[in-house]
């Protein structure tokens, strides 16, 4: 085995963000850049000699090159076996599934999620631990620390591995096995949902669905599941061929970026159900005919209907949501008599709750929903969950959601993003909010009175770890909230996120447009934070 030890010097910008290290492709293509980070991952782990590593990515530009480097480094560092998805493909939830099923030591996932791909666009890498979930902060901090002091890395001198042919090959003293990227995941889905009932719905002729894979990783999974096993007509899946640049699109399933799907679902003769997933398959957007389901409502509806789904028929242990996600799910938890957890933004914070059996369903307002079946959010899982509910209830998406509001009241919700803000200006804005935070309690803004204002911090109930500075919360006495935080996943400048929520028990007002219902809070957010002045932007770049 020809292991090379290469001398290197640290890059000082390899701090993992909300979900791994994300940079522009040319940054990753600099000599030693990827290698340093991969070695920093391995240097921060212990006890993996002879163990299994899972590797796969969302197929974006530079995926294959990165995988070859990682395979050779994993072998040189002593992993006994590497499982890699065929063609270098594994959706993020499928990678989580494969790690768990094979009792792997961990996995490396190559993705920048919903960020655009291509030679000058984004690339990303993250490490997942043996439970299949994103590495917790203590691991990502150790990786960052190693990346700052690294002096050498190990890599095998060997020809590239054929990633397209299924089966095992030797690489150095280890084995690389190219696995079917879809099979294990599809089997897991079949164990959770009532496929017979969903098949009846999709083949009945009276129900039509449209799944938009946005030319990203879920294409092969969606074809296999919907048009294959579940018998939906050919053409149900659109944009299903994964492309390195996602066809030039922005693979983010929201009303702005999944516009083709939105046009279909809000057009004439619209299908009954529409869904989209993101670059790496962990996000989802759910649409009914002429109807958008906010991710926060989706979590609440799934929780309220979970008993209709075989995998969850015995009930839920608890529901966890990220802090900025609306409190709609808390109302369901209360009625079900189960615990509701509020965690910082980022899926990694759900891992301990899921492992400890305290939460069964988890969700984020950022189009992320999932459960204890894996340790990532899971786009197609959410689509199947909705289909299972629709198949059982035989009602439309709109009926199901409006009935939900009638029972629980409606949490109006919206997120306003200001993307590409100059980093210094964004920092000044947040400092300005911080400076006022302690003076806000008791202050009145029109009909609203501030009940509390703080910077969210979280103590993990399982391991006691504390995460501070997770976003400013301004809560009002009527339960409304404004949350402000800076994105931890962007690669250029800063993205300011403003989360707005109000609660409306009055059924007569449930039909309101959220921007209308939240208009006062939108103005108050600007009064407090000086958003337009500081960003120099008249309006948000994305509203979801
Ligand atoms: C964003 C979302 C967050 C999600 C993350 C990864 O992070 O807001 O909920 O977990 O992407 O998909 P942010 O850019 O806000 O740090
Ligand atoms: Zn994603």
């Amino acid at each position: 085995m020809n292991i090379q030890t290469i001398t290197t010097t640290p890059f000082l910008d390899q701090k993992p963000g909300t979900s791994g290290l994300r940079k522009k492709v040319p940054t990753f293509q600099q000599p030693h850049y990827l290698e340093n980070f991969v070695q920093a991952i391995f240097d921060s782990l212990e006890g993996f000699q002879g163990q299994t590593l899972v590797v796969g990515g969302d197929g974006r530009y530079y995926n294959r090159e990165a995988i070859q480097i990682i395979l050779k480094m994993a072998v040189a560092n002593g992993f006994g076996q590497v499982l890699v998805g065929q063609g270098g493909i594994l959706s993020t939830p499928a990678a989580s599934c494969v790690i768990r099923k094979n009792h792997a030591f961990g996995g490396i996932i190559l993705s920048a999620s919903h960020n655009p791909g291509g030679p000058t666009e984004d690339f990303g890498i993250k490490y997942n631990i043996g439970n299949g979930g994103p590495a917790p902060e203590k691991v990502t901090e150790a990786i960052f620390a190693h990346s700052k002091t690294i002096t050498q890395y190990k890599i095998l001198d060997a020809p590239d591995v054929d990633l397209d042919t299924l089966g095992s090959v030797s690489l150095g003293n280890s084995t690389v096995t190219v696995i079917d990227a879809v099979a294990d995941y599809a089997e897991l889905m079949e164990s959770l949902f009532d496929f017979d009932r969903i098949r009846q719905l999709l083949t009945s002729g009276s129900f039509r669905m449209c799944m938009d894979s946005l030319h990203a990783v879920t294409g092969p999974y969606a074809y296999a599941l919907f048009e294959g096993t579940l018998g939906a007509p050919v053409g149900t899946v659109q944009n299903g061929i994964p492309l390195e640049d996602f066809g030039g699109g922005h693979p983010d399933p929201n009303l702005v970026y999944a516009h083709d799907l939105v046009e279909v679902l809000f057009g004439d003769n619209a299908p009954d159900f529409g869904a989209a997933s993101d670059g790496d398959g962990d996000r989802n957007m759910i649409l009914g005919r002429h109807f958008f389901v906010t991710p926060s409502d989706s979590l609440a509806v799934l929780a309220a209907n979970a008993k209709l789904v075989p995998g969850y028929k015995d009930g839920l242990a608890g529901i966890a949501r990220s802090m900025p996600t609306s409190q709609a799910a808390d109302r369901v938890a209360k009625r079900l008599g189960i615990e509701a957890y509020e965690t910082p933004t980022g899926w990694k914070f759900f891992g301990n709750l899921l492992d400890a059996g305290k939460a069964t369903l988890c969700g984020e307002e950022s189009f992320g929903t999932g459960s204890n079946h894996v340790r990532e959010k899971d786009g197609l899982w959410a689509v199947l969950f909705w289909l299972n509910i629709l198949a059982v209830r035989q009602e439309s998406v709109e009926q199901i959601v409006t009935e939900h509001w009638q029972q629980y009241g409606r949490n109006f919700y919206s997120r306003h993003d200001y993307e590409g803000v100059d980093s210094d200006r964004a920092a000044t804005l947040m400092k300005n909010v911080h400076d006022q935070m302690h003076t806000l309690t008791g202050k009145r803004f029109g009909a609203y009175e501030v009940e509390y204002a703080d910077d969210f911090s979280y103590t993990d109930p399982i391991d006691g770890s504390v995460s501070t500075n997770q976003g400013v919360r301004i809560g009002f006495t009527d339960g409304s909230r404004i949350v402000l935080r800076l994105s931890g996943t962007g690669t250029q400048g800063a993205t300011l996120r403003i989360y707005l929520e109000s609660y409306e028990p009055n059924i007569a007002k449930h039909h309101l447009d959220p921007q209308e219902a939240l208009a006062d809070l939108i103005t108050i957010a600007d009064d407090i934070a000086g958003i337009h002045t500081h960003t120099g932007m008249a309006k948000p770049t994305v509203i979801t």
Side-chain angles (χ1 to χ4, degrees):
M1 187 160 70
N2 184 8
I3 295 178
Q4 298 183 315
T5 301
I6 311 281
T7 304
T8 188
T9 48
F11 293 88
L12 298 177
D13 64 347
Q14 297 195 324
K15 185 175 172 51
T18 312
S19 187
L21 181 69
R22 291 193 190 163
K23 300 282 176 195
K24 296 287 172 202
V25 167
T27 303
F28 272 106
Q29 285 170 325
Q30 299 172 81
H32 310 309
Y33 193 87
L34 174 68
E35 291 86 344
N36 274 17
F37 190 73
V38 173
Q39 189 65 50
I41 294 175
F42 295 152
D43 288 347
S44 66
L45 305 176
E46 268 172 29
F48 60 79
Q49 299 300 315
Q51 302 278 320
T52 299
L53 181 74
V54 172
V55 179
D58 63 10
R60 68 177 59 228
Y61 188 88
Y62 199 55
N63 192 51
R64 283 177 177 261
E65 292 86 339
I67 287 184
Q68 296 294 349
I69 291 170
I70 293 166
L71 293 179
K72 291 170 194 171
M73 289 186 66
V75 166
N77 277 274
F79 276 96
Q81 186 184 206
V82 186
L83 304 179
V84 57
Q86 191 174 22
I89 295 281
L90 277 178
S91 77
T92 293
S96 185
C97 162
V98 171
I99 293 170
R100 294 169 67 77
K101 187 170 173 180
N102 293 282
H103 306 290
F105 188 85
I108 292 181
I109 301 178
L110 302 166
S111 167
S113 188
H114 48 285
N115 296 2
T120 56
E121 296 293 353
D122 289 3
F123 192 75
I125 173 169
K126 71 171 181 172
Y127 179 69
N128 279 28
I129 58 175
N131 73 353
E137 275 191 334
K138 65 174 186 301
V139 177
T140 55
E141 276 159 16
I143 294 171
F144 183 44
H146 280 287
S147 79
K148 288 190 286 191
T149 55
I150 189 165
T151 56
Q152 58 182 44
Y153 62 85
K154 282 191 201 150
I155 187 162
L156 188 74
D157 184 20
D160 282 356
V161 173
D162 172 4
L163 296 177
D164 297 300
T165 308
L166 293 177
S168 299
V169 293
S170 297
L171 185 65
N173 293 338
S174 314
T175 309
V176 171
T177 306
V178 177
I179 58 167
D180 183 320
V182 176
D184 291 331
Y185 177 79
E187 189 183 291
L188 177 60
M189 292 302 109
E190 196 155 0
S191 74
L192 296 172
F193 300 108
D194 190 340
F195 269 33
D196 288 339
R197 232 158 157 167
I198 299 176
R199 192 179 298 112
Q200 274 170 23
L201 179 75
L202 293 178
T203 55
S204 64
S206 60
F207 180 93
R208 284 180 301 132
M209 82 171 263
C210 180
M211 168 74 209
D212 193 340
S213 287
L214 299 173
H215 285 304
V217 79
T218 55
Y221 298 84
Y223 281 129
L225 284 163
F226 301 122
E227 295 187 15
T229 316
L230 293 167
V234 171
T236 296
V237 178
Q238 67 181 40
N239 301 323
I241 310 282
L243 299 174
E244 287 195 333
D245 66 350
F246 308 116
H250 198 135
D252 201 359
N254 61 41
L255 293 174
V256 176
Y257 294 124
H259 39 79
D260 290 355
L261 181 75
V262 173
E263 266 170 38
V264 172
L265 267 295
F266 284 84
D268 295 336
N269 192 27
D272 303 274
F273 181 67
S277 190
D278 71 331
D280 63 329
D282 56 359
R283 294 186 173 198
N284 74 88
M285 176 170 70
I286 302 293
L287 300 173
R289 181 184 292 137
H290 300 180
F291 193 83
F292 165 63
V293 186
T294 67
S296 295
D297 278 348
S298 181
L299 173 65
V301 169
L302 298 189
N305 290 277
K307 285 204 171 158
L308 305 179
V309 174
Y312 307 90
K313 67 175 188 327
D314 296 332
L316 308 174
I319 308 171
R321 63 165 174 83
S322 67
M323 179 272 283
T325 303
S326 98
Q327 299 163 93
D330 302 13
R331 298 180 181 278
V332 177
K334 194 166 179 207
R335 197 166 293 188
L336 293 174
I338 58 177
E339 204 65 43
Y341 298 91
E342 184 177 45
T343 59
T345 298
W347 208 260
K348 59 181 176 240
F349 293 101
F350 295 134
N352 279 347
L353 294 170
L354 292 166
D355 282 352
K358 291 198 175 290
T360 309
L361 295 191
C362 307
E364 293 195 274
E365 52 64 43
S366 52
F367 298 81
T369 335
S371 87
N372 58 355
H373 69 291
V374 289
R375 293 294 180 272
E376 291 279 3
K377 55 188 179 251
D378 189 344
L380 293 178
W381 168 90
V383 178
L384 288 164
F385 206 127
W386 265 97
L387 284 171
N388 200 144
I389 293 171
L390 291 166
V392 175
R393 288 188 50 173
Q394 299 285 324
E395 289 171 288
S396 72
V397 172
E398 181 170 1
Q399 275 170 323
I400 289 173
V401 176
T402 46
E403 278 173 31
H404 185 93
W405 293 336
Q406 282 161 18
Q407 275 187 38
Y408 293 92
R410 178 171 182 185
N411 288 71
F412 280 105
Y413 189 82
S414 183
R415 184 175 104 183
H416 290 193
D417 289 342
Y418 293 79
E419 297 169 315
V421 180
D422 174 79
S423 301
D424 290 340
R425 293 177 82 157
T428 308
L429 180 150
M430 288 305 284
K431 184 177 178 301
N432 172 38
V433 176
H434 262 125
D435 290 347
Q436 292 174 62
M437 212 163 63
H438 308 289
T439 64
L440 287 175
T441 305
K443 245 191 180 165
R444 284 192 160 276
F445 294 87
Y448 294 84
E449 183 184 340
V450 177
E451 186 172 73
Y452 65 89
D454 63 5
D455 198 332
F456 182 60
S457 78
Y458 176 68
T459 304
D460 186 295
I462 313 301
D463 65 16
S465 58
V466 179
S467 304
T468 55
N469 297 321
Q470 298 295 323
V472 172
R473 309 188 291 183
I474 302 167
F476 298 89
T477 48
D478 70 344
S480 303
R481 291 194 307 169
I482 297 171
V483 174
L484 299 100
R485 60 179 281 281
L486 295 181
S487 156
T489 58
T491 55
Q492 228 169 15
T495 294
L496 171 69
R497 304 200 195 285
I498 320 283
Y499 309 80
L500 304 139
E501 175 181 7
S502 70
Y503 179 65
E504 181 54 76
N506 182 355
I507 294 176
K509 292 192 180 163
H510 285 174
H511 65 279
L512 284 180
D513 178 86
Q515 302 309 317
E516 223 178 294
L518 296 165
D520 287 346
L521 288 175
I522 294 169
T523 308
I524 295 171
D526 194 44
D527 285 352
I528 294 175
I531 298 163
H532 302 308
T533 314
H534 285 291
T535 62
M537 292 157 88
K539 55 180 178 33
T541 45
V542 178
I543 295 181
T544 52

